[in-house]
Amino acid sequence: VDKALRLLQALDRHGDWLGVRDLSRLLGVSPPAVHSLLKTLQAAQFVEANAITRQYRLGLAAVRLGSGADPLAPMRRFARPFIETLAANSDETAVVLSWQHDHAVGVDWIQADHALAVTHRIGAIEHPIGLASGRVLLAFQEPAVQQRYARAETYARLGPNSPRTPAEALAILARVARDGYAVTENVGASGVAAVGAPVFDANDRLLFAVGCSAPISRIGPAQLVQLRNRLLDLTTEMTARLRRDSAGPTRE
């Protein structure tokens, strides 16, 4: 157990892919023993493997477990009054996502007060390319991060109106970075339209993405443009506030 915990801690500190021999040197444990631990942890989704490079990083189970310690509380405290305003003014669901350890993580969300409303979750989010806010998170990552994600995504699970190849996913992210926002409509036959926009910290690094979504039965093209403009105004205000206040929340 001690060796497995130290292995997870090493992956967490490194924050990127590591090979068996690198982990062996860091832990002072033989490569066969490290490999055996990794396979056990991989089976429980605490680590994930890159079949091409034969390297490993933290998996979704580790991210979900870590979310219990709530390291995103400062982000939530900062973002909450803004998304309350967004939810009240739009009368639709608002969400905040952050990029942590190569995974999209739900920071906070407010559900619209309708019988038919979009729902979200706190914690690790699978397939972020299917969400407007997830596309924003990915669009403002380093190219190497985007490429790792694009290679690892399981496109067959995304459904219609989704990218089908890494090249298509990367093209979408390039467009989002150019436009400064993302719009999705009925991705995966979800019946949902959404917009997402970035918030940057005082050092111009992406802090999180804010999204707003509604059933497509309730939002037409004109309303979607209005929602996009309202969201862009809000995220611009959030970024300006962070730049004025250097004591604001910092990126994990």
Side-chain angles (χ1 to χ4, degrees), residues 132-168:
S133 48
R135 291 181 180 186
V136 169
L137 284 182
L138 287 161
F140 292 95
Q141 301 301 317
E142 295 293 330
V145 174
Q146 295 178 353
Q147 291 163 8
R148 283 199 303 270
Y149 171 81
R151 289 194 298 266
E153 180 59 86
T154 50
Y155 296 96
R157 297 183 182 180
L158 298 179
N161 304 318
S162 305
R164 294 167 295 177
T165 65
E168 289 183 9

